[in-house]
Amino acid sequence: MFPTNHQFSSQPRALAVVETTTSMQVDLNETSFDSRDEIQNGGFSEVKSIMESSEKLQDDLRMLGLKIKQHEDSIKLLKTQKNKLDDTILDMQVLLGKHHSSSSPIENKDQSHLQSEHEITEQILHHEKSAAGILCQLKTHHGPQASHLSLTKDIMGAVATLGKVDDENLSRLFSEYLGVQTMLAIVCKTFEGVKALETFNKDGCIDKTSGLHGIAASIGRSLDGRFIVICLESLRPYAGDFVPDDPQRRLDLLKPRLPNGECPPGFLGFAVNMIHVDSSNLAFVTARGEGLRETLFYHLFSCLQVYRTRAEMVLALPCISEGAVSLDGGIIRSNGVFSLGIREEVDVRFPKTSTMSEELQSYNETENQMKEMRWQKEKLEEDIKRELALLNNAKFNFEKKKQDFVKFLALSSSYATQHQFQAARR
């Protein structure tokens, strides 16, 4: 009986053990699933936090980049406006003949010794054996009839008679820069007119009975040596734009700029634009429609710059490519070629303008406009300084934020690596 009873008594215990074991296995499995869910949910939360932080840093960098661009655009616009004011002020100074210090009143400038047209003619006549001298004598002896001669119809005159200036210093400088031969050069409209001035015999020698030599002989003069003749239609003309609404059709030349973008101190303008052309000559155009300024005077002066002093001209050397002159006598012939020594007095000069221009008559009004423009320029300079300060601050903040973003990327990369390692172990 005992063994049998022992068998029956042991079965409930075995069942209890199996039940307990099974129960424990189920609890462990449930616990394991809960832990994984919590870990997974925690990982998602951290990843989401990382992504939000990354997006915020990128948004901050994007906003700072936009601020930098806005400040740079503002500075560019302000500098453009300032350069335009500089150009306008310089143009006014040139038009007014303000070639001396801006503090000198215009009425104190002594222009009584500037040569008139009649005086220029007298000076040319002193060169009685020159081509210009002979043509002047022909005009003096024959008056208006001289211009109707077949030989002279194509001739516009000597260089010295085709332009005028308002300033005595410019008259001296330009005549010295060009030299007597060029000032006395004969200007013809076409090459046919040039050919008519001189003919040759069968032996290739000059025919002294025809052309300008024949005219010289007819008035008891002789034409000695060489003389310069300029053919307008054969010159390479200026190909750019003109100053808008300018009755003198001045050339819209690009003003010199120092490396910092500023116009050189003491720069007054270009010689080619400081020549005044009379209305009668202003109406003249070549067959291609080009006037005296863009042909003759552009050929003679090109982009010759004019400065107030020699010292200012030397400081502007990096901006000078085609020569410069200064009101105190400095001359740069071309890049690297200087004229030194005592100033040479050339007797044949450009005459003074017969009447004061409208700009000079309204001197006080223009002075007030220039004062207003200078005030606007100072205000623009202050605005530029302020924008530069804001730009520098934005750049500093951008660099700082960029460093924060780089550090964040490094930390998030380290976290991602660690998280992948832990997931792999599990």
Side-chain angles (χ1 to χ4, degrees):
M1 291 286 301
F2 180 74
T4 304
N5 291 337
H6 180 71
Q7 284 179 344
F8 284 109
S9 64
S10 65
Q11 286 179 0
R13 281 205 304 240
L15 289 171
V17 170
V18 171
E19 185 179 331
T20 304
T21 304
T22 304
S23 175
M24 287 179 63
Q25 287 177 348
V26 171
D27 290 343
L28 285 171
N29 288 335
E30 288 177 354
T31 303
S32 177
F33 280 123
D34 290 343
S35 298
R36 278 201 293 266
D37 288 342
E38 287 177 8
I39 291 170
Q40 192 171 14
N41 290 336
F44 285 145
S45 177
E46 290 184 15
V47 169
K48 184 179 180 183
S49 176
I50 289 171
M51 290 178 67
E52 288 176 350
S53 298
S54 175
E55 287 177 359
K56 185 179 184 306
L57 284 169
Q58 289 182 68
D59 287 340
D60 290 345
L61 282 171
R62 194 178 297 109
M63 290 301 297
L64 286 169
L66 287 173
K67 282 186 179 180
I68 290 172
K69 180 70 165 56
Q70 289 171 357
H71 291 312
E72 287 176 341
D73 290 343
S74 295
I75 290 170
K76 185 178 180 180
L77 178 63
L78 289 169
K79 285 185 175 181
T80 299
Q81 293 174 348
K82 178 180 170 295
N83 289 338
K84 285 182 178 178
L85 278 177
D86 285 337
D87 291 347
T88 304
I89 290 169
L90 285 170
D91 289 339
M92 284 186 170
Q93 289 176 343
V94 173
L95 291 173
L96 290 172
K98 290 191 57 141
H99 308 300
H100 298 292
S101 172
S102 58
S103 61
S104 302
I106 193 167
E107 51 267 21
N108 290 341
K109 293 180 182 178
D110 180 16
Q111 301 193 29
S112 60
H113 49 300
L114 275 169
Q115 293 177 316
S116 65
E117 289 180 79
H118 175 72
E119 289 170 329
I120 291 297
T121 300
E122 290 297 319
Q123 292 295 342
I124 292 175
L125 285 171
H126 288 163
H127 296 265
E128 57 183 24
K129 293 185 178 182
S130 68
I134 288 170
L135 287 173
C136 275
Q137 291 176 48
L138 180 66
K139 187 177 179 180
T140 302
H141 284 88
H142 299 280
Q145 295 177 353
S147 60
H148 297 296
L149 296 173
S150 59
L151 179 69
T152 59
K153 276 185 179 180
D154 199 70
I155 296 175
M156 295 199 68
V159 168
T161 64
L162 298 178
K164 298 177 181 179
V165 292
D166 293 326
D167 187 274
E168 195 268 340
N169 254 339
L170 292 180
S171 179
R172 295 175 63 196
L173 271 173
F174 292 170
S175 61
E176 184 182 1
Y177 177 81
L178 295 177
V180 178
Q181 268 199 317
T182 302
M183 292 296 287
L184 292 173
I186 304 301
V187 178
C188 290
K189 300 173 186 176
T190 67
F191 185 61
E192 292 301 316
V194 176
K195 290 193 294 183
L197 292 178
E198 196 168 75
T199 59
F200 302 86
N201 57 32
K202 293 180 180 179
D203 298 328
C205 298
I206 297 171
D207 185 354
K208 297 290 185 72
T209 64
S210 65
L212 199 54
H213 294 274
I215 289 178
S218 68
I219 58 175
R221 303 291 181 184
S222 62
L223 182 57
D224 292 343
R226 289 189 175 274
F227 59 95
I228 297 174
V229 181
I230 299 174
C231 175
L232 294 180
E233 72 172 7
S234 300
L235 298 178
R236 176 181 289 181
Y238 167 73
D241 296 325
F242 296 86
V243 175
D245 303 320
D246 181 22
Q248 277 283 309
R249 285 178 59 81
R250 290 178 173 85
L251 314 184
D252 190 12
L253 297 170
L254 188 64
K255 292 178 176 59
R257 298 285 177 193
L258 293 169
N260 63 1
E262 297 288 333
C263 196
F267 174 74
L268 297 175
F270 295 96
V272 67
N273 285 337
M274 294 180 178
I275 297 293
H276 180 87
V277 181
D278 281 344
S279 56
S280 57
N281 289 328
L282 200 61
F284 163 79
V285 291
T286 65
R288 293 178 297 188
E290 295 138 357
L292 275 180
R293 192 180 305 280
E294 61 264 38
T295 54
L296 175 65
F297 293 113
Y298 184 69
H299 167 74
L300 295 176
F301 294 113
S302 187
C303 294
L304 182 74
Q305 300 174 20
V306 181
Y307 287 86
R308 194 173 6 250
T309 66
R310 185 184 283 104
E312 289 170 323
M313 181 177 70
V314 170
L315 289 174
L317 276 174
C319 307
I320 298 171
S321 59
E322 298 183 55
V325 294
S326 63
L327 298 182
D328 53 4
I331 294 180
I332 297 175
R333 294 282 173 185
S334 60
N335 194 13
V337 181
F338 303 82
S339 287
L340 304 180
I342 300 172
R343 294 181 68 162
E344 179 186 356
E345 290 296 331
V346 178
D347 56 355
V348 182
R349 304 180 189 173
F350 290 108
K352 67 178 181 180
T353 52
S354 56
T355 57
M356 298 296 282
S357 65
E358 292 180 3
E359 291 85 1
L360 289 174
Q361 291 173 354
S362 59
Y363 175 82
N364 291 330
E365 180 183 346
T366 307
E367 269 292 299
N368 291 333
Q369 291 177 358
M370 289 176 65
K371 286 178 182 178
E372 175 69 19
M373 288 182 180
R374 289 192 181 104
W375 177 82
Q376 290 178 13
K377 177 183 171 183
E378 290 175 1
K379 188 175 182 300
L380 284 172
E381 288 173 344
E382 291 174 0
D383 291 343
I384 290 171
K385 286 180 181 178
R386 184 173 63 254
E387 285 292 332
L388 278 172
L390 292 171
L391 174 63
N392 290 334
N393 184 59
K395 284 183 174 180
F396 174 80
N397 290 334
F398 182 86
E399 288 299 321
K400 187 177 179 183
K401 187 66 67 175
K402 188 171 74 172
Q403 291 174 8
D404 292 342
F405 185 59
V406 170
K407 290 178 181 177
F408 173 80
L409 288 176
L411 289 171
S412 60
S413 176
S414 174
Y415 167 79
T417 303
Q418 184 180 0
H419 186 70
Q420 289 174 358
F421 177 72
Q422 290 175 350
R425 290 186 63 185
R426 287 196 297 270

